[in-house]
Amino acid sequence: MLTLTDAQQTQPLDEEALSDVDAYWRACNYLAVGQIYLLDNPLLKVPLLPTHIKPRLLGHWGTTPGLNLVYAHCNRVIRERDLDMMYIIGPGHGGPAIAANAWLEGSYTDHYPDVRQDEVGMKRLFRQFSFPGGIPSHVAPEIPGSIHEGGELGYSLAHAFGAAFDNPDLVVTCVVGDGEAETGALATSWQSTTFLNPARDGAVLPILHLNGYKIANPTVLARIGDEALTDLLQGAGWRPYLVEGDDPEQVHQALAGTMDRVLDEIADIQREARSGAEPRRRGEEGWRPWPMIVLRTPKGWTGPHIVDGKQVEGTWRAHQVPLAEVRNNAAHLGMLERWLRSYRPHELFDDDGVPNERLRTWAPTGTRRMGSNLHANGGRLTRGLDLPDFRDYGVDIDGHGRTTSESTRVLARWLAEVMRRNMTTFRLFGPDETASNRLDAVYDTTGKTWGAQVLPVDEHLAADGRVMEVLAEHLCEGWLEGYLLTGRHGLFSCYEAFVHIVDSMFNQHAKWLNTSRRIEWRAPIPSLNYLLTSHVWRQDHNGFSHQDPGFIDHVVNKKAEVIRVYLPPDANCLLSVADHCLRSRDYVNVIVAGKQPELVWLSMDEAAAHCARGIGVWDWAGNDEGDPDVVLACAGDVPTLETLAAADLLRHDLPDLKVRVVNVVDLMRLQPPREHPHGMPDPEYDALFPPDVPVIFAYHGYPWLIHRLAYRRHNHEHLHVRGYKEEGTTTTPFDMVLVNDLDRFHLVMDVIDRVPGLGSRAAVVRQELVDRRAENRRYVREHGTDMAEVADWVWPDQ
């Protein structure tokens, strides 16, 4: 069963402390209700009138009193123990609670001086909430102390662990809503205890708030019984303590005592781990589970109990706005006034609306206030990475396109040194794919974080490892986001097809970045870096289910200011791009690169220059002499291979045709500068892709994205794009490009079909290409491998 602490029967708070914490809680509740309802008359100096009420009532009351309760009790332990504590809010619409607390402790006014701690400031606080030109009802970037917006539910606990990693003195209090607890992302996050190292990391204190209901239904964890809930939480490595009730005095005493108990346990666990003793692993004898709290209080506690004959408090009806017709229903207006006055605001604020001394002294001071905690504005703590010179890790080549290398394996050697130099500020995240993605050289520097049992057959597991592997993309993403938001750096490596699992998490983070860039006091944070490999074109044994390059399309839907997409064509370009991305701030960088052996096209110096441009003519591959008949463009490693092979065929079969080869690394260069900061001006674009000259573009992903990026360009009518068109199976590398018409033969056929006057002159060549396509398909099905003319092709020695 859930553990009942001694605090359920004892009185840890003396009379004065009990009165003070209750006053603070009442003040925050009052401020939260005021935000939901009031435009004017914030101190109720006159009876409420309909004109004092907002015309549109938007906000969520149900979770608010619980969030305020926990915040008030956190303030006490911060003051008494001098804790460095963050507050992460899982319930989706906890905005009024956290805005209220930030204002009451003074953090809000510090960040927004016009929202003063007086009647005028209180009115502004109320008016701006869920109001045009104001702040959202979520715990958005505008709220001081937040790193987590409750738009989509489920990320709070993963973010909390990400914040705690490598922050040994930090305690992250995370309120988990019981509706939120039904999400897959949150359900997985309970297992993070296996990856938290008390010797070097901070602590996470989850508070599962069981108020029993979500929007319109009961919550699962509130209805499965204490025994099942205890088994569930204990199985994930927690020792749950229950605090429950609906009598404020009793709940205050119980929560205060329980907070003291769990913080003592956390300190003991950390003290033992930092004493130099042999670490105890989860599942082994003597391992101590991390404490947590289950808080069971009524939904909408202290609000209207009965409205229009129906119970509201303690039911799903309290979820949003308990009194929905206040402007045109006199009875509701009267109930709202009685509700507000029940908090006795005259005891809490003076005639000018200034919080009284007991409220001001209950809150911590300076950066110990949770609304001013430095970790919650992580850019203020960010230190640049100590990066080795990527040029020292490049592949030496013997001519363009004649040396073979595995791009991600080359990158891994550089990443290993990055991790060695930045042992407390950089981590690598991925869902059990580090070795599969050829990044296993990092194990020469550090192991995989692991706090459970270790068997003799295991390799690279270490309590102090810095590679975060768990077979849950949600958890990898959430950990990394929490790590970045608190000022550290990282890289998320994932199979390209399955990064879609975190599509909505990417959405939320991109929106957070977009908003925070407009908030003056938010300091830039390290970028969210994705390395997508095991990509669509090389799924030799996995097949169709593993073939989806659409994450790029999803990313470019977001604001241009925050997204970047890179398609390095070889290992040396990958090194240059990765170095650039790890140095950047406030972006989402998507890098797509294969892990299989492939040709290296550029020397290290050439690669660095090419990546700095983001796009460029490979003059060594063409013969246009400044006046092309056709442009062969490419973006992505496999499309680059097929494009260069097509250029070689054209040299041989149509030597008089003037061909230009253009490679694109930075996909956003294709857009005009008014669409994206990296976009090329029209004259520069026209110089690469001259008007009226056919462009055959081989692209890594879905072809329509290139059309979308370039549709405003002068030459768009002559742009023809080949890419993935949802054809695939378990097959050979070349057969994969054949079935999607991205192969070298088809690219040459496209040239013949689209260069004016070439069709009739090159009819025989075209027919031969059709036959060679058919021959290659037959060979694959007979022999199970590609023909030597394809598999062994290299750029001819000029």
Side-chain angles (χ1 to χ4, degrees):
M1 296 294 288
L2 293 164
T3 303
L4 288 169
T5 66
D6 295 340
Q8 300 286 58
Q9 290 80 35
T10 61
Q11 306 291 311
L13 298 175
D14 61 27
E15 184 176 344
E16 181 180 2
L18 176 62
S19 177
D20 287 347
V21 72
D22 188 67
Y24 200 92
W25 180 51
R26 285 187 286 115
C28 288
N29 287 341
Y30 179 85
L31 294 169
V33 178
Q35 289 176 79
I36 295 173
Y37 284 97
L38 298 185
L39 274 177
D40 203 352
N41 194 17
L43 292 173
L44 303 181
K45 289 183 175 179
V46 298
L48 273 184
L49 299 173
T51 54
H52 298 151
I53 308 302
K54 293 181 178 180
R56 299 169 69 239
L57 299 178
L58 304 170
H60 291 69
W61 168 246
T63 188
T64 293
L67 293 173
N68 287 337
L69 178 78
V70 174
Y71 204 111
H73 281 265
C74 286
N75 282 343
R76 178 186 70 87
V77 295
I78 291 171
R79 283 189 295 102
E80 293 181 357
R81 297 167 180 255
D82 190 29
L83 293 178
D84 188 6
M85 180 178 282
M86 287 179 61
Y87 194 63
I88 292 182
I89 303 94
H93 293 268
I98 310 310
N101 279 278
W103 185 86
L104 192 59
E105 72 182 15
S107 294
Y108 205 98
T109 304
D110 287 351
H111 292 85
Y112 303 99
D114 60 322
V115 187
R116 306 191 307 252
Q117 282 188 297
D118 59 17
E119 183 176 6
V120 173
M122 188 186 297
K123 180 178 175 179
R124 287 177 176 163
L125 179 74
F126 290 179
R127 181 183 180 88
Q128 70 179 11
F129 178 79
S130 281
F131 199 80
I135 62 174
S137 64
H138 300 180
V139 188
E142 292 89 343
I143 303 296
S146 63
I147 67 164
H148 173 90
E149 180 165 4
E152 184 183 8
L153 301 178
Y155 311 156
S156 60
L157 196 54
H159 282 171
F161 275 91
F165 293 144
D166 295 319
N167 269 329
D169 299 324
L170 184 65
V171 178
V172 187
T173 298
C174 178
V175 180
V176 177
D178 52 351
E180 178 193 24
E182 296 176 7
T183 65
L186 196 288
T188 303
S189 297
W190 293 118
Q191 301 294 336
S192 298
T193 53
T194 298
F195 302 88
L196 191 72
N197 181 353
R200 65 157 185 214
D201 298 330
V204 176
L205 173 57
I207 299 180
L208 174 60
H209 190 202
L210 286 183
N211 61 29
Y213 294 89
K214 40 191 184 280
I215 295 176
N217 288 288
T219 57
V220 173
L221 296 188
R223 298 292 182 91
I224 64 174
D226 286 358
E227 186 173 353
L229 179 60
T230 301
D231 290 346
L232 177 68
L233 297 171
Q234 287 181 342
W238 299 99
R239 174 175 290 151
Y241 290 96
L242 174 66
V243 175
E244 64 177 345
D246 59 5
D247 178 85
E249 180 175 334
Q250 293 179 1
V251 173
H252 283 312
Q253 295 285 11
L255 184 55
T258 303
M259 290 284 286
D260 286 337
R261 172 73 174 271
V262 299
L263 289 169
D264 286 344
E265 287 192 21
I266 287 171
D268 287 344
I269 291 171
Q270 292 178 332
R271 190 179 302 111
E272 180 180 342
R274 298 169 188 181
S275 68
E278 184 72 19
R280 297 176 180 177
R281 297 180 175 275
R282 182 178 165 190
E284 296 177 345
E285 185 177 354
W287 182 81
R288 297 179 63 182
W290 290 94
M292 63 166 292
I293 297 172
V294 176
L295 176 63
R296 184 183 288 141
T297 58
K299 194 175 183 78
W301 193 19
T302 74
H305 189 69
I306 302 291
V307 178
D308 297 335
K310 295 180 179 179
Q311 183 179 343
V312 174
E313 184 187 69
T315 76
W316 52 269
R317 295 187 183 94
H319 181 77
Q320 290 179 283
V321 180
L323 300 167
E325 302 175 7
V326 181
R327 268 200 160 208
N328 54 20
N329 185 317
H332 282 201
L333 183 63
M335 293 178 69
L336 174 60
E337 183 163 353
R338 290 191 294 275
W339 177 13
L340 284 164
R341 292 190 186 279
S342 72
Y343 299 120
R344 307 192 296 280
H346 60 281
E347 298 178 3
L348 308 171
F349 310 99
D350 67 18
D351 290 342
D352 295 324
V354 177
N356 64 29
E357 184 178 0
R358 71 194 305 203
L359 299 179
R360 295 196 303 272
T361 57
W362 188 257
T365 60
T367 57
R368 283 295 188 249
R369 295 171 297 174
M370 292 190 291
S372 296
N373 188 285
L374 293 176
H375 299 284
N377 189 4
R380 294 181 62 186
L381 298 175
T382 297
R383 303 195 312 272
L385 291 171
D386 177 8
L387 295 178
D389 189 339
F390 65 90
R391 296 168 183 82
D392 295 340
Y393 295 80
V395 178
D396 293 329
I397 63 172
D398 181 21
H400 299 112
R402 302 186 63 79
T403 303
T404 299
S405 185
E406 295 167 288
S407 293
T408 54
R409 197 177 297 282
V410 172
L411 176 69
R413 294 193 289 270
W414 180 74
L415 284 175
E417 180 62 15
V418 171
M419 299 183 82
R420 189 189 69 78
R421 295 187 182 197
N422 302 275
M423 290 298 283
T424 60
T425 56
F426 181 88
R427 293 198 186 205
L428 178 65
F429 298 79
D432 192 32
E433 296 161 359
T434 303
S436 174
N437 288 335
R438 312 291 198 268
L439 298 174
D440 43 314
V442 297
Y443 298 143
D444 295 338
T445 296
T446 182
K448 293 177 279 191
T449 303
W450 187 253
Q453 295 177 347
V454 177
L455 303 178
V457 71
D458 295 327
E459 294 181 343
H460 307 303
L461 301 182
D464 61 352
R466 307 198 54 74
V467 178
M468 309 298 295
E469 282 199 352
V470 63
L471 196 51
E473 287 82 354
H474 283 122
L475 198 46
C476 293
E477 174 83 11
W479 284 344
L480 175 54
E481 288 179 4
Y483 202 63
L484 300 175
L485 287 160
T486 48
R488 282 76 59 75
H489 307 257
L491 177 69
F492 181 13
S493 165
C494 187
Y495 280 15
E496 181 184 50
F498 303 130
V499 74
H500 281 293
I501 293 170
V502 301
D503 274 2
S504 56
M505 298 185 77
F506 152 76
N507 284 345
Q508 298 296 310
H509 190 77
K511 289 176 182 291
W512 177 280
L513 290 178
N514 184 53
T515 300
S516 65
R517 288 165 68 95
R518 301 194 299 268
I519 299 172
E520 184 176 340
W521 54 266
R522 285 270 179 199
I525 62 171
S527 296
L528 171 57
N529 299 306
Y530 293 99
L531 173 63
L532 307 185
T533 186
S534 298
H535 61 52
V536 57
W537 299 109
R538 293 301 305 268
Q539 291 296 332
D540 302 357
H541 65 284
N542 289 316
F544 194 43
S545 66
H546 284 53
Q547 294 163 356
D548 188 332
F551 187 68
I552 296 174
D553 302 64
H554 181 61
V555 167
V556 300
N557 287 330
K558 296 296 172 265
K559 284 288 188 179
E561 290 79 6
V562 300
I563 62 99
R564 306 287 186 266
V565 178
Y566 300 99
L567 294 145
D570 66 10
N572 287 338
C573 289
L574 176 58
L575 283 169
S576 179
V577 166
D579 178 84
H580 170 76
C581 290
L582 291 190
R583 294 179 188 275
S584 68
R585 300 286 187 275
D586 270 357
Y587 298 141
V588 177
N589 296 309
V590 178
I591 307 170
V592 184
K595 67 182 183 182
Q596 303 292 349
E598 59 188 9
L599 295 173
V600 183
W601 305 105
L602 303 178
S603 70
M604 193 68 256
D605 287 342
E606 289 173 328
H610 180 54
C611 292
R613 291 189 300 266
I615 187 172
V617 176
W618 285 1
D619 54 357
W620 52 267
N623 63 346
D624 66 295
E625 298 179 349
D627 184 25
D629 297 318
V630 66
V631 176
L632 298 182
C634 48
D637 49 10
V638 168
T640 298
L641 169 64
E642 294 306 308
T643 297
L644 270 292
D648 183 30
L649 287 170
L650 288 170
R651 283 187 178 214
H652 182 270
D653 295 333
L654 299 168
D656 295 331
L657 188 72
K658 291 183 290 185
V659 178
R660 172 178 293 176
V661 176
V662 175
N663 182 263
V664 181
V665 177
D666 180 351
L667 199 62
M668 312 320 293
R669 294 283 282 153
L670 297 175
Q671 287 194 295
R674 61 185 176 275
E675 301 290 339
H676 195 281
H678 287 192
M680 285 187 293
D682 284 337
E684 185 179 350
Y685 183 91
D686 292 343
L688 290 176
F689 306 103
D692 301 324
V693 174
V695 178
I696 311 301
F697 201 124
Y699 171 54
H700 172 85
Y702 294 106
W704 44 84
L705 178 60
I706 301 301
H707 286 290
R708 174 184 159 192
L709 297 177
Y711 82 99
R712 294 180 185 269
R713 297 298 192 176
H714 296 150
N715 201 28
H716 184 248
E717 62 187 279
H718 297 290
L719 176 64
H720 179 70
V721 186
R722 291 290 177 184
Y724 182 65
K725 55 184 194 178
E726 209 64 27
E727 294 289 343
T729 183
T730 301
T731 190
T732 66
F734 191 67
D735 192 49
M736 184 65 190
V737 294
L738 277 172
V739 298
N740 285 280
D741 296 334
L742 186 70
D743 61 282
R744 59 199 68 182
F745 305 127
H746 211 293
L747 294 178
V748 174
M749 292 162 58
D750 285 334
V751 171
I752 293 171
D753 292 345
R754 285 169 174 78
V755 173
L758 189 58
S760 59
R761 289 191 291 117
V764 173
V765 173
R766 193 186 195 287
Q767 181 173 300
E768 290 174 352
L769 295 171
V770 172
D771 293 343
R772 290 176 75 177
R773 278 173 52 86
E775 181 184 6
N776 273 270
R777 292 224 72 194
R778 286 194 299 270
Y779 187 91
V780 166
R781 274 148 185 76
E782 181 177 351
H783 299 280
T785 189
D786 290 324
M787 294 181 67
E789 68 163 349
V790 169
D792 299 335
W793 180 88
V794 296
W795 183 252
D797 187 3
Q798 301 300 318

